[in-house]
Amino acid sequence: MGAAIGIRITGPHGPGRPSTKTTGIAPVSSTTPSPDSNLAEGIHPDLAPLIATHDTEEAKISGTISAKVRLHPNLLAQLDAAFLRHHWLVESTGVGELLDRHCRSSNRGRKKQGLDGALYYALQLTAVFTTGQATVEQMYVIAHSLPLDTRVKFGIVVYENKKKVRELTRKQLYTMTEGLGKNLSYTTDCLTNAERSLPDEDQKALLRERQAERHAVVNAIVTRLLTGTHLIDVEHGTYAIDDTSIWAWSKAPGGTRHQEGGQDRPLADEDNTQTPPHDASAHEPNAQAAPVLTAAEEEAARRNPASWLCPDAAWGGKTAKSGAQVGIYGYKAHVIVNTNDPARKAPLPVLIQALELTPANADIVDVSLRLVDQIRERAPFVRLVGDRHYGYKRYDRWAMELWRRRVHQVLDLRVDKPGAMDQYGSKVIDGRPHCPGMAPHLEALTPSDDPTEQVEFRNQVAYREKFALRMVKGPLASPTKTAAGEDDPKVGVTRWQCPAVAGTVGCPLRQGTVALARQVGTPVVPNPPQAEAGEQLPACCTQQTIQIEAGTPMKYLQEDYWGSEQWELAYALRSAVEAVFGNIKNRGTEDVRRGFVQVVGLPLVTLAVVAAAACYNIRILEKHGRESGEQFNSPLMNHPLEGEIIESLVLRGDDVFEHLERTAA
């Protein structure tokens, strides 16, 4: 047998591990198989005689597996349990029904019996869970490796009078894959021949409408599947966001690497208009000019893309572990995960809350805001932790959009961050207005990798924070207007109070504050502004408060003072999303890397990646239950009651390789 099966086994139940099953999935026993049986678990007595009727093709698939299963009697029970919970997830969330509506490659003839959307996707989920591959071949092998009564129950094999009359074929799986790819594609031409005879403007309008509908279907599949795995409520409202590269299965067409435009990771602040746009070809010594296509050639390529070429993959940038910018041909998975509890009250499992795939060169803003909105519809959303990639977007595209949604941003700043900017006499530094009389050496503070220098940096940040104006009114939109779906004209507008009035420093311009500062040991403003002849003191030094309008100087404003201990604790939560990427791409887990899925087109790749995300969520919930003792009353937690902890068992031909237990760090 050429295909590889990687079976992940978990158990036994630790302290507090749920030991009963809920309705929807029957309990699975762990009876050791007899030498004459090809099934380790769950054989219905009435079906046992049918084992001898397997034909040669099925024997090739299941015979070798069953021989190896005897080495670990609980193996097939785990495979069966995984399939059952995945089928329950797909069916209960309505994902199977959505796939059923869009699975036929042609409306001609009658639908082939024995395969529906729920079964198809349950097989793909189980293939990802057990083998780390979302390929049709692995789905087929999984289908024919299940216990006989499960195959009969779900129509994978049909017997009449103890004779097999029908079984699931590879062709059925390939045909459904082709149909889903064709009917869910939302980036290529999806017009009928009759519609292509319409005027160009009508064609474009119809195409946009149909693509939007299909995109909505794919997003609905993703949202429903992931939501079905969210067995824990995230009440603290803190999330982390990032994107990760997914290499395309197809090769990149020649000459596309150096095409202009679409670079998704800018090298500088978008609000810094003096910085030229990033051009990847400028840094490539062997760069070639992008091929110029005529309008007719572009139209032909759009309508009939090459079968081997992914219509949605593109060259984009990614940050390597060394920090260098490298190219990636394929897609970006944009992901939001919940973080651990910022108050550290209790450990929480970090789950993938929202996900969407785009071409690798797509801009991150719109897709990220869509993910934020998806979560806001079902859970509290207070703050979003992201890297510099997000903070360097133009202020009206990112910061303002988060504030409209009443979401605080948590982000880091780069060494080349903007300098001090004047606002009503105050110095806006790192998103906060400061006293104009503050010492100049405190304006440009940067962290360091050197431990000694980093300690000095933290001390200087703590000292500088005393000179920051106190926030009286934050940038978030009014909760009343947000709840009503109305636009708040005051979003992004902030109000600030002089630090001397707030009591954090003393200033000669504020009567009595210097004596008080010396009494309590707070700093005194070293260089208070002096009014020139015919001029007035800055407004921040004479008024009780000043109002700063929304604009570029305030784009880095955060709930916690940048560089402070509170900010470091909040920003450290961003590691949650990076840990998820490392976990889900590990060879011992879902193994999401090139070759994980061997199809082209965003819809099919999305189905595979979200299947991996759902498997990750289930696996992390299982680990959390074992470690915390928390019980989940859900059919997703349906492991057999007994069995060794063998989290990966690979069957390849006649060889058996036991891999180290997977860890969900």
Side-chain angles (χ1 to χ4, degrees):
M1 172 175 135
I5 302 285
I7 306 295
R8 191 169 64 81
I9 300 180
T10 58
H13 298 285
R17 182 74 185 269
S19 59
T20 58
K21 307 298 181 296
T22 58
T23 58
I25 294 182
V28 183
S29 63
S30 58
T31 307
T32 303
S34 65
D36 297 328
S37 172
N38 78 325
L39 302 176
E41 309 290 343
I43 304 176
H44 193 283
D46 295 336
L47 298 176
L50 300 180
I51 296 173
T53 66
H54 291 180
D55 62 15
T56 305
E57 176 66 19
E58 186 166 347
K60 290 179 181 178
I61 297 170
S62 61
T64 305
I65 293 177
S66 63
K68 304 302 182 266
V69 165
R70 293 191 184 98
L71 297 175
H72 298 284
N74 196 250
L75 175 59
L76 198 56
Q78 295 287 3
L79 176 62
D80 191 35
F83 170 78
L84 292 174
R85 67 170 170 265
H86 294 148
H87 192 278
W88 175 86
L89 175 64
V90 174
E91 198 168 54
S92 64
T93 56
V95 170
E97 181 183 355
L98 284 175
L99 293 173
D100 261 343
R101 297 178 194 169
H102 303 86
C103 66
R104 300 193 66 184
S105 59
S106 172
N107 291 325
R108 295 165 55 185
R110 63 187 182 90
K111 184 179 178 181
K112 182 81 171 179
Q113 294 182 327
L115 181 63
D116 58 15
L119 176 58
Y120 175 92
Y121 208 26
L123 290 173
Q124 188 170 61
L125 280 157
T126 308
V128 171
F129 180 80
T130 57
T131 72
Q133 290 190 356
T135 61
V136 168
E137 180 62 26
Q138 295 294 6
M139 292 164 63
Y140 179 71
V141 173
I142 291 295
H144 289 275
S145 302
L146 292 168
L148 183 57
D149 57 347
T150 300
R151 281 179 279 157
V152 171
K153 177 181 177 181
F154 291 94
I156 297 173
V157 60
V158 177
Y159 287 92
E160 291 181 3
N161 299 323
K162 298 184 179 182
K163 295 185 63 176
K164 184 192 303 181
V165 296
R166 187 175 69 248
E167 67 176 343
L168 182 67
T169 64
R170 286 185 177 88
K171 183 179 179 181
Q172 285 179 270
L173 292 170
Y174 279 112
T175 300
M176 182 169 284
T177 302
E178 179 185 353
L180 290 171
K182 175 182 177 181
N183 298 328
L184 291 178
S185 175
Y186 50 85
T187 57
T188 55
D189 196 346
C190 51
L191 300 179
T192 65
N193 291 331
E195 291 167 342
R196 288 171 183 159
S197 63
L198 297 172
D200 287 346
E201 290 302 319
D202 293 342
Q203 285 190 52
K204 292 178 181 178
L206 187 59
L207 186 61
R208 284 193 299 268
E209 179 183 354
R210 187 158 300 160
Q211 289 174 340
E213 292 173 352
R214 294 182 173 193
H215 195 181
V217 171
V218 174
N219 283 342
I221 291 172
V222 173
T223 303
R224 291 187 185 189
L225 192 74
L226 290 181
T227 304
T229 65
H230 296 158
L231 304 185
I232 291 182
D233 294 330
V234 182
E235 298 178 353
H236 58 68
T238 300
Y239 299 86
I241 187 172
D242 205 351
D243 59 40
T244 187
S245 302
I246 307 291
W247 278 90
W249 176 242
S250 64
K251 292 183 178 180
T256 60
R257 181 164 191 163
H258 308 294
Q259 288 183 359
E260 296 181 358
Q263 292 297 325
D264 71 321
R265 287 192 175 269
L267 298 184
D269 193 323
E270 284 188 1
D271 283 306
N272 186 354
T273 56
Q274 295 179 349
T275 302
H278 172 51
D279 182 3
S281 63
H283 304 281
E284 297 282 355
N286 299 320
Q288 300 175 357
V292 179
L293 301 179
T294 65
E297 289 173 334
E298 289 182 350
E299 179 69 8
R302 180 177 70 86
R303 293 191 185 279
N304 299 296
S307 59
W308 56 269
L309 178 64
C310 181
D312 305 317
W315 280 104
K318 63 171 287 187
T319 304
K321 293 181 179 180
S322 63
Q325 287 286 309
V326 296
I328 162 74
Y329 181 73
Y331 327 92
K332 285 292 181 66
H334 304 265
V335 175
I336 294 182
V337 306
N338 66 279
T339 69
N340 213 327
D341 187 354
R344 274 84 175 162
K345 294 179 180 179
L348 286 177
V350 176
L351 303 180
I352 297 175
Q353 298 287 333
L355 178 151
E356 184 173 339
L357 257 66
T358 65
N361 64 352
D363 183 75
I364 64 171
V365 173
D366 290 341
V367 60
S368 299
L369 293 176
R370 281 198 299 270
L371 298 182
V372 170
D373 290 338
Q374 288 177 19
I375 299 175
R376 289 177 64 241
E377 291 178 358
R378 62 177 187 267
F381 205 128
V382 178
R383 62 188 63 82
L384 181 62
V385 191
D387 62 13
R388 304 179 184 109
H389 187 191
Y390 299 87
Y392 270 53
K393 295 302 180 184
R394 205 172 63 237
Y395 89 95
D396 59 329
R397 299 183 63 218
W398 185 248
M400 286 287 287
E401 290 299 328
L402 290 183
W403 295 337
R404 283 193 178 94
R405 293 161 169 81
R406 293 190 55 77
V407 175
H408 290 285
Q409 61 176 346
V410 182
L411 50 92
D412 197 6
L413 304 179
R414 296 197 303 210
V415 176
D416 59 346
K417 60 188 177 182
M421 290 179 272
D422 179 86
Q423 289 288 297
Y424 298 95
S426 67
K427 296 179 179 179
V428 177
I429 303 170
D430 301 339
R432 293 261 178 163
H434 294 74
C435 172
M438 182 181 68
H441 75 277
L442 295 175
E443 292 182 8
L445 302 180
T446 56
S448 173
D449 293 331
D450 181 85
T452 303
E453 294 180 359
Q454 183 64 11
V455 170
E456 179 62 20
F457 164 75
R458 288 170 177 164
N459 291 335
Q460 289 183 323
V461 166
Y463 185 77
R464 187 181 72 177
E465 186 178 2
K466 299 179 185 296
F467 291 88
L469 277 65
R470 185 179 74 88
M471 187 189 302
V472 177
K473 186 262 180 187
L476 302 187
S478 161
T480 304
K481 291 186 177 294
T482 302
E486 301 175 1
D487 190 26
D488 183 1
K490 291 291 186 180
V491 65
V493 177
T494 53
R495 185 165 289 278
W496 303 86
Q497 184 183 51
C498 167
V501 177
T504 57
V505 298
C507 179
L509 301 179
R510 299 290 187 175
Q511 187 175 4
T513 60
V514 173
L516 180 61
R518 288 172 177 165
Q519 181 180 352
V520 299
T522 54
V524 175
V525 177
N527 304 305
Q530 301 292 327
E532 302 291 339
E535 296 183 1
Q536 296 181 343
L537 289 170
C540 65
C541 297
T542 58
Q543 299 176 187
Q544 283 295 314
T545 61
I546 60 171
Q547 177 174 291
I548 299 181
E549 304 298 326
T552 302
M554 303 303 294
K555 69 179 290 182
Y556 301 117
L557 175 60
Q558 303 179 54
E559 192 177 16
D560 297 312
Y561 190 87
W562 177 80
S564 67
E565 182 180 356
Q566 292 78 12
W567 175 86
E568 285 187 346
L569 291 174
Y571 189 71
L573 296 172
R574 192 184 76 86
S575 62
V577 67
E578 293 181 334
V580 169
F581 292 155
N583 196 321
I584 203 171
K585 290 186 175 183
N586 190 297
R587 288 192 182 275
T589 59
E590 286 72 30
D591 197 18
V592 179
R593 60 184 67 215
R594 190 170 189 269
F596 155 80
V597 58
Q598 299 176 11
V599 292
V600 297
L602 272 175
L604 293 179
V605 178
T606 296
L607 288 178
V609 173
V610 75
C615 290
Y616 162 85
N617 282 356
I618 296 171
R619 180 165 53 83
I620 294 301
L621 286 168
E622 291 171 345
K623 180 176 183 288
H624 176 75
R626 291 196 301 269
E627 295 178 348
S628 69
E630 184 172 359
Q631 297 187 9
F632 301 104
N633 186 27
S634 169
L636 290 179
M637 305 289 107
N638 74 324
H639 274 305
L641 306 184
E642 304 171 7
E644 303 174 62
I645 300 180
I646 306 175
E647 299 238 0
S648 182
L649 177 66
V650 177
L651 307 176
R652 185 180 288 112
D654 294 330
D655 299 322
V656 177
F657 304 92
E658 291 186 12
H659 290 260
L660 296 176
E661 177 182 358
R662 300 180 188 181
T663 57

